[in-house]
Amino acid sequence: MFEQQVALFTIFGGTGDLAKRKLYPSLFRLYRKGHLQEHFAIIGTARREWTDDYYREIVAESLTSLTPTEEELADFTSHFYYQSHNVNDTDHYIHLKKLATELDERYQLKGNRIFYLAMAPNFFGTIVNHLESEKIITESGYNRVIIEKPFGTDYASAEKLNEEIRAVFAEDQIFRIDHYLGKEMIQNISAVRFGNNIFESLWNNRYIENIQVTLAEDLGVEERGGYYDQSGALKDMVQNHILQVVALLAMEVPNLFSEKSIREEKIKALNAIRLYDEEEANRCFVRGQYTAGNVGTQSYKGYLEEENVETQSRTETFVAGKFLIDNFRWQGVPFYVRTGKQMTTKAARINVVFKPTPVNIFRDEVTCVKNNQLPQNVLTIYIQPTEGFSLTLNGKEIGPGFDINPVKLDYRNTTEMVENSPEAYEKLLLDALNGDATNFTHWDEVAQSWRIVDVIRAAWDQNTDPIPTYAAGTMGPKEAFDLIEKDGHEWVWRPDDWYRENNLLS
Ligand code: BG6
């Protein structure tokens, strides 16, 4: 049995989509596994006037796919309380404090408090100030604040936000969520790198030619057009998830797998990423916007036809780019990244492309050659939907002659393992309960990521060329392929090829 956690959660944004889709199911899984038993309570707050009963019904609905028993449902939801709340109204915090104190006594919560801010960032400052001024922050237990993205919209706004939060909470009380850090295979990057001498000894510019990170989505902006049109793929995905993945791939070996060492190494890696000037940013990063397209018999609309999107919008729904890392380990190794909405499929993977052998001694025999080179070894880390790794190696084709062909050593977690493994939010909530911030982003990481992204954004804002487009269902605009091909490389993962070969893309 696990150690039972004791805490009061106050969720600002308790009626929101994130709470329903991610937080309530994750809290329920923690409850089912015994991490949360008697000594927990949740206050959901938002503007709407809901009763506790109605709130509990909503929470129960969000758990349908987890098929709780009647008994589980009744017991779990009985820990939920609702408080209608206007974040600017001091009176409301007085009620909140009263409720928090009552629940603390009823459930013996030892003054442990987790404040979850799942609202627009412009409210964060007001909320944390009131938490302090109205003494909702306790002196008896721990106080932690979990903050959802986006953490600012550029460096300046992020810094302001950080200052507001830091005026009330210390860095070690702040848990900035990047849900990619809760994903099984993202956590596995460190296991692959530091648990296998065969890789760590090759993990540098002597043996690696380039690294490719693809986070592809096959849906459009859905009902989030309003937010997304202000944000775009660069801020929505690159500033956080992609740069976090790059940092984990690029960082030096930490002394110990501990919060402090890992964060220190990630910060150093991010600090070593080259900050581009305008010309470099335009050369090394391309953007794209999806237009209508068909995959098989399914038709998709273009971005400009989406709800709450400006008809003339220049917001990018796709980004591909190259990061360069100026340190001994990575000098000269491009880290290519790409991400976008409405691409061929929803999947995330990392391809580590090793350099070719110095000489191809089989050159007359090889069937599968590029520039008379042997196919390159590629280590692939599959993040989602399947989880696992593969490594392509060259072997001799069976039979007479000496044809060399790549073979793939492939390991995937079974569907059952994937289904039973904790969801990203579940792991992160448990980490926050345990006070472990390893898989949360430190301010220095957020700050440097904004600096990196801001120069790209500024270069694009100056650039009035038409935004390249890509048809829904493809892997981005032609420019994304040119970007890597002009360096003499190519995207290893091309899921759209199959659709094209089968005449399914138009
Ligand atoms: C979020 C972005 O951070 O990540 C969304 O705001 C995106 O636009 C999502 O869809 C992707 O996350 P996942 O876990 O579905 O790959």
Side-chain angles (χ1 to χ4, degrees):
M1 212 19 135
F2 308 103
E3 192 194 336
Q4 198 190 140
Q5 300 287 343
V6 178
L8 171 68
F9 281 86
T10 306
I11 302 178
F12 291 86
T15 58
D17 199 43
L18 179 92
K20 287 187 261 180
R21 277 191 309 114
K22 300 289 182 190
L23 304 185
Y24 303 146
S26 297
L27 288 167
F28 181 69
R29 288 202 194 89
L30 293 176
Y31 162 83
R32 208 177 226 177
K33 290 179 183 162
H35 296 288
L36 297 173
Q37 292 176 28
E38 299 106 66
H39 302 296
F40 78 99
I42 285 123
I43 303 177
T45 84
R47 271 187 152 231
R48 296 179 211 180
E49 303 275 347
W50 283 3
T51 60
D52 287 347
D53 283 344
Y54 185 69
Y55 181 45
R56 288 172 189 173
E57 274 173 40
I58 298 287
V59 172
E61 257 171 44
S62 73
L63 309 176
T64 316
S65 65
L66 301 172
T67 56
T69 62
E70 287 290 316
E71 208 184 337
E72 282 176 329
L73 209 52
D75 182 42
F76 178 69
T77 58
S78 71
H79 291 254
F80 284 71
Y81 298 82
Y82 187 77
Q83 164 92 58
S84 162
H85 186 83
N86 170 352
V87 291
N88 293 312
D89 186 341
T90 305
D91 278 352
H92 283 197
Y93 292 90
I94 297 171
H95 293 301
L96 196 59
K97 178 176 181 181
K98 195 163 157 280
L99 179 58
T101 313
E102 268 170 41
L103 296 179
D104 210 311
E105 279 165 23
R106 187 175 319 158
Y107 294 97
Q108 297 155 40
L109 302 178
K110 300 184 180 165
N112 290 345
R113 300 215 168 149
I114 296 191
F115 304 98
Y116 201 114
L117 307 189
M119 297 183 71
N122 48 320
F123 297 123
F124 294 174
T126 312
I127 296 174
V128 295
N129 279 333
H130 280 96
L131 293 178
E132 186 179 46
S133 66
E134 302 317 308
K135 302 204 168 40
I136 300 175
I137 291 174
T138 58
E139 303 213 325
S140 50
Y142 63 67
N143 291 276
R144 297 175 188 148
V145 59
I146 305 183
I147 298 175
E148 266 301 325
K149 66 170 278 251
F151 199 89
T153 52
D154 54 15
Y155 175 74
S157 59
E159 189 185 34
K160 181 168 169 286
L161 182 59
N162 196 53
E163 278 167 7
E164 287 170 348
I165 297 166
R166 284 298 308 270
V168 177
F169 291 96
E171 180 64 35
D172 65 2
Q173 295 177 301
I174 305 175
F175 292 72
R176 297 178 196 81
I177 284 246
D178 183 314
H179 77 280
Y180 264 71
L181 297 181
K183 291 188 191 269
E184 196 56 46
M185 293 308 295
I186 299 289
Q187 299 189 347
N188 232 315
I189 295 173
S190 297
V192 173
R193 284 192 57 188
F194 309 127
N196 297 294
N197 203 27
I198 56 167
F199 291 129
E200 192 43 37
S201 50
L202 303 179
W203 211 259
N204 56 52
N205 58 4
R206 288 177 60 202
Y207 298 102
I208 291 180
E209 185 190 77
N210 70 83
I211 294 189
Q212 304 178 10
V213 177
T214 306
L215 309 186
E217 295 190 74
D218 62 352
L219 292 176
V221 291
E222 301 178 280
E223 68 291 346
R224 293 168 74 225
Y227 150 76
Y228 195 87
D229 208 33
Q230 299 299 313
S231 163
L234 184 68
K235 294 183 181 184
D236 189 49
M237 296 292 285
V238 179
Q239 185 273 336
N240 37 64
H241 311 320
I242 289 220
L243 277 167
Q244 283 295 316
V245 174
V246 170
L248 286 166
L249 289 165
M251 70 184 183
E252 290 301 316
V253 189
N255 294 345
L256 197 66
F257 194 73
S258 70
E259 171 184 327
K260 186 169 173 291
S261 313
I262 290 186
R263 283 174 151 198
E264 272 171 15
E265 295 307 338
K266 276 166 69 192
I267 292 164
K268 276 196 246 160
L270 288 166
N271 285 342
I273 293 180
R274 189 178 303 172
L275 285 179
Y276 291 137
D277 61 26
E278 192 177 322
E279 186 275 325
E280 285 171 315
N282 275 312
R283 190 161 31 86
C284 298
F285 270 78
V286 302
R287 51 188 158 165
Q289 194 182 71
Y290 62 85
T291 53
N294 298 309
V295 183
T297 52
Q298 186 75 36
S299 303
Y300 297 96
K301 57 182 163 187
Y303 179 65
L304 298 181
E305 283 98 61
E306 298 277 13
E307 225 175 284
N308 298 326
V309 165
E310 296 282 333
T311 44
Q312 304 283 315
S313 174
R314 287 176 58 82
T315 299
E316 77 288 350
T317 61
F318 172 95
V319 178
K322 167 167 74 170
F323 288 117
L324 295 171
I325 301 182
D326 291 322
N327 61 19
F328 269 41
R329 189 187 280 263
W330 294 117
Q331 190 61 45
V333 180
F335 281 64
Y336 297 108
V337 300
R338 60 183 168 163
T339 184
K341 298 279 183 199
Q342 210 58 276
M343 293 169 71
T344 311
T345 183
K346 174 158 177 79
R349 62 178 66 176
I350 298 161
N351 293 110
V352 180
V353 183
F354 290 89
K355 288 189 171 169
T357 52
V359 173
N360 170 14
I361 63 161
F362 309 104
R363 51 193 170 272
D364 290 328
E365 311 284 345
V366 177
T367 51
C368 186
V369 286
K370 187 181 119 196
N371 306 329
N372 212 6
Q373 281 173 2
L374 287 167
Q376 288 162 261
N377 303 124
V378 178
L379 169 70
T380 302
I381 303 178
Y382 302 90
I383 299 164
Q384 61 187 30
T386 60
E387 298 178 352
F389 336 94
S390 70
L391 180 64
T392 58
L393 299 174
N394 291 316
K396 178 190 166 296
E397 201 171 77
I398 202 160
F402 213 94
D403 284 348
I404 303 287
N405 260 332
V407 288
K408 199 184 212 180
L409 306 183
D410 203 346
Y411 168 78
R412 305 293 170 103
N413 289 339
T414 61
T415 320
E416 202 189 345
M417 283 157 87
V418 173
E419 273 167 12
N420 292 335
S421 79
E423 225 254 322
Y425 269 92
E426 178 187 340
K427 283 198 267 181
L428 295 175
L429 285 176
L430 186 58
D431 284 352
L433 281 161
N434 282 321
D436 178 355
T438 313
N439 294 312
F440 293 81
T441 46
H442 188 279
W443 162 245
D444 292 347
E445 296 171 58
V446 176
Q448 190 58 17
S449 302
W450 276 123
R451 288 189 196 101
I452 294 166
V453 155
D454 279 356
V455 291
I456 302 166
R457 184 72 260 166
W460 283 352
D461 289 343
Q462 294 301 314
N463 183 335
T464 52
D465 294 346
I467 312 272
T469 56
Y470 60 103
T474 63
M475 290 301 282
K478 180 177 173 298
E479 285 77 354
F481 294 84
D482 296 346
L483 171 92
I484 185 164
E485 279 160 22
K486 72 182 180 215
D487 289 349
H489 308 315
E490 56 187 26
W491 295 108
V492 173
W493 188 46
R494 292 187 301 265
D496 49 341
D497 282 358
W498 183 88
Y499 287 85
R500 282 184 219 287
E501 280 156 21
N502 290 282
N503 288 326
L504 290 169
L505 266 186
S506 56

